[in-house]
Amino acid sequence: MSHCKPYVIGIDMGGNTTDIGVVDSRGKIHASTSIRTKDYAAEFGDFIDALAKAIRQLLGNIGGPQMIAGIGIGAPNANFYSGNIENAANLPWKGVCPLAEMLYDRLGIPVAVTNDANAAAIGEMTYGSARGMRDFIMITLGTGLGSGIVINGQLVYGHDGFAGELGHVKVRQGDRLCGCGQKGCLEAYCSANGVARTAREWLKTRSDDSSLRNLDPETITSKEVYEAAMNGDAFSKEIFDYTGQLMGEAFAEFVCFSSPEAFILFGGLAQAGDLIINPLRKAMEANLLKTWQGKIKIIPSALKLSEAAILGAAALGWKAQ
Amino acid sequence: MSHCKPYVIGIDMGGNTTDIGVVDSRGKIHASTSIRTKDYAAEFGDFIDALAKAIRQLLGNIGGPQMIAGIGIGAPNANFYSGNIENAANLPWKGVCPLAEMLYDRLGIPVAVTNDANAAAIGEMTYGSARGMRDFIMITLGTGLGSGIVINGQLVYGHDGFAGELGHVKVRQGDRLCGCGQKGCLEAYCSANGVARTAREWLKTRSDDSSLRNLDPETITSKEVYEAAMNGDAFSKEIFDYTGQLMGEAFAEFVCFSSPEAFILFGGLAQAGDLIINPLRKAMEANLLKTWQGKIKIIPSALKLSEAAILGAAALGWKAQ
């Protein structure tokens, strides 16, 4: 009878907030709510109890659990194969948290999980810019740089469920320390944090004028660098040039791997638009094999920031069993 | 009735020689022959005529074309989707050569083509070290560096059929000119040619002792560097350390992409064994995220050099239609 169930639940789990939506097969969100992840930092079991309770309340409005085909969850470091969250630096619980199993125990509804960037890729493929594409790479530019890779119409999970860590390929020349313990990782440069770090470094090592010098360098944000660049600050514009160039060089290598039809950019930093996409495209083209020059699309996400993660998780929910 | 056809034909097409084998479903070669590619350099049509003639002669020995389920061909720059060879630097014909279509016209047997590294990956998955693996990366170390990527048990062709050009990702620090026109490509360092180039460069720029100084630097080969290293020449051993290190750094990035169970090394240079695998593994481990440390296998091909390409192409032949 599962074919008759008209809704799935999509859950976007973050370190601060966990958003929950009831979604139909066309990607329309019919009901939504959220809980504060942080309030249950002490015990993962308490978080699951609170999540199950919030879902039961939502279901009361739409006809009960028999209307739900499945639950999909996008969460940092969530593993599609095991259903667990494993060693997530941005969540309060350490070690391995059996997310899918514990939520299924509470609700009796099938649960599928994956990491947040993979969920965004599924959302983009189902409802966004990647509809109809069988080969593309989703890059999420938030605090860090996440990625979801789609090949032959399938999300790439890899041998162990952890594929698609493109934030941790190394930029060609650079030794900035990354949160993962390695040096020179792409996300240490190309992310909201990375842009702020570049600004801080350059403010120290360079002496040219910039409106950024009016700000406290220790608390500077990528949004402030963006605003300065849009107001004509050359120093800030150069930070985006540099960020885009490193990304473009990396993208050219990703093309060697899977020859995608497009890169889809998502997240706060992606909203910098041409400021980052122009230098990115230029550097990518300069580093591509002739076969691919002029052929690889770079397009912004077609989904609203606030909805994409829920929609992606929801699309995964149809496959939960 | 195609299920009843007991054989496929596997063809390994190279710039000098094209090898042809009749193969059964267990990977046994029942008959084989070869033609000299070079003899038909003037006209691609002449080459196809000679190939069709050689195949007809082979088929006479095993019961005729009705015994053949399909023909698989591994060839440089061959595109699985189009069936064409496109701009192959190592073949005598320029531009686009409609290989699959022209051979099908002559013989009436379905033909599938792919590039030589992909054919080797299929061979390894069907008959070699990768049996049972759903996620692995085949690296062929010949004159250049080729790659065949398998994800979810499927070969990765990408949007346009040209995926898997891992020889053209850039090493982290280096600007050696590659045959593709770009600088710093992996295959300019990690290949038979690359090893010889490193030897030539170092003989010029360094002054320490080496038995390689007795050779003409202009014609030095990777085999000579290998032999010197095996005879205890520290300079030559260091060349392999350097080659392995650059490969290991690159492998760590490939793991970020598809999280493979294993890398399988194939080809002449792979036969250097521990001389290259030890520094490679060390550099890969040093650059991996913690999640993957100690978990990614690096294993030599289980197929004979002389048979692997034919077996891989043959395995593709079963899918020709």
Side-chain angles (χ1 to χ4, degrees), chain A residues 125-192:
Chain A
M125 185 162 49
T126 315
Y127 306 113
S129 293
R131 265 176 299 184
M133 288 190 193
R134 292 181 57 78
D135 296 274
F136 71 95
I137 297 178
M138 180 90 188
I139 300 285
T140 62
L141 294 165
T143 314
L145 186 153
S147 58
I149 304 165
V150 172
I151 290 178
N152 286 339
Q154 301 172 330
L155 203 72
V156 175
Y157 292 112
H159 174 239
D160 56 2
F162 288 114
E165 287 290 349
L166 298 186
H168 299 283
V169 303
K170 308 294 198 294
V171 302
R172 225 170 286 168
Q173 310 220 357
D175 59 358
R176 201 177 271 181
L177 189 64
C178 178
C180 75
Q182 295 279 348
K183 282 183 172 183
C185 292
L186 186 62
E187 85 166 13
Y189 297 82
C190 304
S191 62

Side-chain angles (χ1 to χ4, degrees), chain A residues 16-312:
Chain A
N16 292 319
T17 306
T18 293
D19 297 319
I20 308 157
V22 176
V23 180
D24 70 18
S25 62
R26 297 183 169 196
K28 187 174 172 219
I29 298 176
H30 287 259
S32 65
T33 186
S34 62
I35 61 173
R36 282 169 50 91
T37 316
K38 278 180 169 175
D39 288 350
Y40 311 98
E43 271 294 331
F44 185 67
D46 294 345
F47 171 76
I48 294 291
D49 287 337
L51 185 58
K53 187 178 162 196
I55 290 171
R56 274 192 216 101
Q57 284 173 346
L58 263 191
L59 293 187
N61 304 331
I62 59 110
Q66 67 277 11
M67 304 294 277
I68 303 297
I71 297 174
I73 308 179
N77 292 52
N79 188 303
F80 175 75
Y81 292 136
S82 67
N84 300 333
I85 294 174
E86 308 190 10
N87 307 308
N90 298 320
L91 291 177
W93 317 285
K94 297 305 151 211
V96 174
C97 303
L99 173 60
E101 186 188 337
M102 286 177 72
L103 191 60
Y104 177 78
D105 283 350
R106 302 293 192 282
L107 296 171
I109 301 170
V111 179
V113 313
T114 191
N115 74 42
D116 34 4
N118 286 344
I122 296 170
E124 211 65 51
M125 185 162 49
T126 315
Y127 306 113
S129 293
R131 265 176 299 184
M133 288 190 193
R134 292 181 57 78
D135 296 274
F136 71 95
I137 297 178
M138 180 90 188
I139 300 285
T140 62
L141 294 165
T143 314
L145 186 153
S147 58
I149 304 165
V150 172
I151 290 178
N152 286 339
Q154 301 172 330
L155 203 72
V156 175
Y157 292 112
H159 174 239
D160 56 2
F162 288 114
E165 287 290 349
L166 298 186
H168 299 283
V169 303
K170 308 294 198 294
V171 302
R172 225 170 286 168
Q173 310 220 357
D175 59 358
R176 201 177 271 181
L177 189 64
C178 178
C180 75
Q182 295 279 348
K183 282 183 172 183
C185 292
L186 186 62
E187 85 166 13
Y189 297 82
C190 304
S191 62
N193 273 350
V195 165
R197 283 178 79 175
T198 302
R200 274 197 287 280
E201 276 181 24
W202 288 14
L203 286 169
K204 271 184 208 158
T205 57
R206 291 169 51 155
S207 57
D208 47 334
D209 253 6
S210 166
S211 62
L212 296 181
R213 294 198 186 276
N214 302 323
L215 304 170
D216 175 0
E218 290 314 306
T219 59
I220 211 161
T221 65
S222 61
K223 189 156 177 287
E224 288 167 332
V225 182
Y226 169 73
E227 282 160 1
M230 292 304 280
N231 285 326
D233 184 61
F235 184 97
S236 299
K237 200 171 168 309
E238 208 183 316
I239 291 173
F240 278 96
D241 286 346
Y242 176 71
T243 308
Q245 188 195 322
L246 294 181
M247 275 179 72
E249 289 177 6
F251 278 23
E253 316 218 331
F254 304 158
V255 173
C256 286
F257 205 101
S258 68
S259 190
E261 178 174 354
F263 289 92
I264 303 192
L265 302 184
F266 177 80
L269 192 59
Q271 299 188 308
D274 287 348
L275 206 56
I276 197 159
I277 290 181
N278 286 347
L280 191 171
R281 184 176 281 123
K282 192 176 159 195
M284 182 183 81
E285 290 292 337
N287 283 280
L288 283 177
L289 288 178
K290 283 203 184 67
T291 309
W292 289 307
Q293 283 168 13
K295 293 183 188 160
I296 314 288
K297 298 172 209 156
I298 297 174
I299 39 187
S301 166
L303 301 176
K304 282 188 215 163
L305 267 187
S306 58
E307 293 191 349
I310 283 185
L311 290 180

